[in-house]
């Protein structure tokens, strides 16, 4: 069986899980290709799904859903009845709307969605001082990924004819979820910038930027395009790009979510069938 895994990953958690899932599929004798669609050129080039028997779509949770750039890309695909599975990495807070909203897009595009999963991954805002899932993904995610790959494989192969059960939408409408997307700019009030510091001008921050917002020559993110994914901050080999501290918002975020740091970090992932 030929499987395509297409994923978006700004800071590496989803990429790491995509590789782990690929290895588990390979152990089941599938042939698997990874397609990283994080940067605009890769999304524009697209993925020729006609070469595959099944597809897996991986994404971080950004403000309770897959990032808009990924949702927009998924909405350009033609499923033609192909069986597919989804997976998400998340930073310890609300993730559930992502499954429902992404499944709806894929179904509208003609895919048959058979499985989904969520995996803990260090929260992007740890880069400014949060302490959510500091060392994840780890062996717990590897084990869960093995079970996820096996369940998805059986559904792709038809050994298990099941499809993903209808997942509840959750308490928020799509319009409310869209409104929540602006909250990230309260947490990251100062977008990545070099603040005039000199660097080697290697260009990596601009090369890996998913939205085309970063200009490596000026070291300034375009506020109209930046999605606050912090990919550039994580990638800079000289740690030259900075944001505001997120330390002050950590305890309020835990209180708002009715949880403690210990409780949050004890969470494990989940498979949905
Ligand atoms: C803009 C933004 C919004 C996020 N929103 C959520 C969220 O709603 N719930 C959550 O648990 N994690 C959230 N996270 C954390 C990411 O989902 C998590 O760190 C993810 O593993 C990052 O994946 P990546 O390394 O592949 O980019 C958010 C991160 C960013 C950058
Ligand atoms: S990645 Fe860092 S070192 Fe390279 S151009 Fe950007 S800011 Fe400069
Ligand atoms: S400039 Fe903004 S969108 Fe681009 S990598 Fe940096 S944080 Fe992400």
């Amino acid at each position: 069986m030929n499987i395509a895994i297409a994923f978006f990953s700004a800071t590496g958690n989803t990429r790491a899980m995509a590789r782990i899932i690929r290895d588990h599929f390979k152990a089941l004798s599938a042939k698997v290709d990874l397609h990283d669609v994080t940067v605009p050129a890769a999304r524009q080039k697209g993925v020729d799904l006609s070469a595959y028997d099944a597809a897996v779509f991986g994404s971080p949770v950004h403000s309770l859903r897959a990032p808009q750039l990924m949702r927009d890309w998924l909405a350009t695909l033609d499923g033609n009845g192909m069986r597919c599975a989804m997976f998400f990495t998340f930073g310890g807070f609300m993730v559930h709307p992502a499954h429902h909203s992404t499944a709806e897009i894929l179904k509208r595009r003609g895919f048959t969605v058979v499985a989904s999963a969520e995996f803990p991954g260090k929260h992007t805002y740890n880069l400014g001082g949060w302490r959510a899932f500091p060392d994840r993904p780890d062996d717990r995610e590897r084990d869960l990924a093995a079970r996820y790959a096996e369940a998805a494989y059986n559904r792709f192969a038809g050994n298990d004819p099941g499809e993903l059960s209808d997942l509840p939408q959750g308490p928020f409408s799509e319009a409310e979820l869209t409104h929540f997307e602006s909250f990230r700019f309260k947490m990251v009030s100062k977008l990545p910038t070099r603040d005039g510091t000199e660097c080697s001008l290697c260009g990596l921050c601009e090369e890996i930027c998913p939205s085309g917002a970063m200009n490596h020559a000026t070291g300034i993110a375009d506020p109209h395009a930046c999605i606050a994914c912090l990919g550039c901050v994580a990638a800079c080999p000289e740690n030259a790009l900075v944001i505001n501290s997120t330390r002050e918002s950590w305890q309020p975020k835990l209180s708002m979510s009715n949880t403690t740091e210990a409780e949050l970090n004890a969470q494990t992932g989940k498979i949905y069938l």
Side-chain angles (χ1 to χ4, degrees):
M1 179 186 306
N2 291 336
I3 302 174
I5 302 183
F7 66 91
F8 180 107
S9 182
T11 53
N13 294 334
T14 313
R15 184 174 295 108
M17 288 313 305
R19 289 179 178 150
I20 292 168
I21 291 164
R22 172 199 57 193
D23 293 346
H24 287 307
F25 278 133
K26 279 188 167 174
L28 295 164
S29 304
K31 191 176 165 301
V32 192
D33 292 325
L34 289 183
H35 298 276
D36 184 337
V37 296
T38 311
V39 299
R43 291 195 301 278
Q44 233 156 42
K45 182 166 167 249
V47 177
D48 179 8
L49 289 177
S50 66
Y52 298 97
D53 304 302
V56 176
F57 300 106
S59 167
V61 173
H62 278 187
S63 310
L64 285 64
R65 291 183 293 187
Q68 189 184 343
L69 295 172
M70 182 63 169
R71 300 199 310 272
D72 290 349
W73 183 74
L74 292 174
T76 66
L77 302 179
D78 280 321
N80 293 317
M82 177 181 262
R83 294 196 149 230
C84 78
M86 314 177 289
F87 74 91
F88 301 90
T89 65
F90 74 111
F93 296 98
M94 197 182 259
V95 55
H96 196 75
H99 298 278
H100 177 270
S101 119
T102 310
E104 287 304 301
I105 296 170
L106 291 169
K107 284 191 260 178
R108 275 200 298 277
R109 299 308 303 169
F111 290 92
T112 301
V113 189
V114 300
S116 192
E118 66 204 31
F119 299 100
K122 54 193 137 343
H123 200 295
T124 314
Y125 296 162
N126 292 3
L127 287 165
W130 281 16
R131 294 190 298 269
F133 291 151
D135 303 314
R136 312 287 280 276
D138 68 11
D139 282 349
R140 287 168 281 188
E141 283 67 70
R142 282 178 188 281
D143 291 348
L144 187 69
R147 283 183 275 132
Y148 164 73
E150 192 177 351
Y153 183 90
N154 282 331
R155 289 196 164 178
F156 291 161
N159 307 336
D160 170 354
E163 294 180 17
L164 182 67
S165 334
D166 272 339
L167 300 168
Q169 178 174 348
F172 308 115
S173 67
E174 288 289 316
E176 282 171 311
L177 291 169
T178 299
H179 174 62
F180 296 159
E181 295 198 330
S182 61
F183 292 1
R184 70 187 62 174
F185 300 108
K186 291 199 171 123
M187 306 292 180
V188 181
S189 51
K190 174 177 170 166
L191 294 177
T193 169
R194 260 199 322 263
D195 263 351
T197 316
E198 286 190 16
C199 74
S200 63
L201 294 176
C202 71
L204 190 60
C205 51
E206 185 172 323
E207 208 177 289
I208 58 86
C209 175
S211 69
M214 178 48 73
N215 178 333
H216 84 277
T218 60
I220 295 172
D222 174 356
H224 302 294
C226 181
I227 60 168
C229 71
L230 307 193
C232 54
V233 176
C236 175
E238 298 181 30
N239 292 326
L241 292 165
V242 292
I243 55 164
N244 55 290
S245 164
T246 56
R247 263 184 213 102
E248 301 69 24
S249 58
W250 175 233
Q251 286 304 332
K253 176 73 178 173
L254 289 172
S255 308
M256 226 172 65
S257 309
N258 272 326
T259 190
T260 62
E261 187 171 323
E263 245 173 40
L264 183 111
N265 288 332
Q267 287 179 85
T268 51
K270 266 189 214 149
I271 298 173
Y272 298 85
L273 293 172

